[in-house]
Amino acid sequence: MKLAISVDGDSHQDSLSLYAWLREDSDLRAAAELSLDPPDRASEDMGTGEVISAVLQHAESLTSIVIAVAAWLRPRSTSTSVTFTYNGIPVTIDNPTEEKIKAVCAALERRDDAR
């Protein structure tokens, strides 16, 4: 399962910060291969910087990565949001609450089931 993660309204530092945060999680490192990819032209024009690619070894790892991103996002500005893109469908989270985290996981899992 390959997932693209981007920080919306991104500064280069936000992408690097999230990438470093995810790489520090030992459980996540064991469950996903992470890389930081440069933005394509369309992404740059929309204000999105680098994209974090996550190749998950198991679909169950999806919840872990969403929770890790939510933990990184919580202390940030309310204008910061993160978009997960899977199978070409974006799902965005901002101001992460338990309900929103569950909704993002459910939406991404539905995308996986639709494959």
Side-chain angles (χ1 to χ4, degrees):
M1 173 180 206
K2 185 172 181 180
L3 188 65
I5 305 165
S6 57
V7 181
D8 303 317
D10 174 65
S11 77
H12 174 72
Q13 292 301 327
D14 286 339
S15 290
L16 293 177
S17 173
L18 178 56
Y19 180 66
W21 176 269
L22 295 174
R23 291 191 51 85
E24 288 174 9
D25 185 318
S26 60
D27 291 334
L28 196 53
R29 269 197 328 264
E33 181 181 321
L34 300 170
S35 62
L36 188 62
D37 302 330
D40 60 24
R41 175 60 68 188
S43 295
E44 277 185 310
D45 292 344
M46 294 177 2
T48 302
E50 291 89 353
V51 174
I52 300 168
S53 293
V55 178
L56 307 177
Q57 294 179 12
H58 307 285
E60 295 80 27
S61 303
L62 181 61
T63 301
S64 297
I65 202 162
V66 172
I67 289 170
V69 168
W72 175 86
L73 192 55
R74 274 194 185 103
R76 303 261 169 326
S77 161
T78 56
S79 64
T80 303
S81 61
V82 173
T83 298
F84 299 90
T85 304
Y86 179 60
N87 281 344
I89 308 291
V91 179
T92 301
I93 188 170
D94 60 358
N95 187 22
T97 62
E98 186 174 340
E99 294 79 29
K100 287 184 181 181
I101 293 168
K102 287 179 183 177
V104 167
C105 289
L108 292 169
E109 288 169 358
R110 278 194 302 275
R111 304 296 187 268
D112 193 41
D113 291 342
R115 278 189 23 200

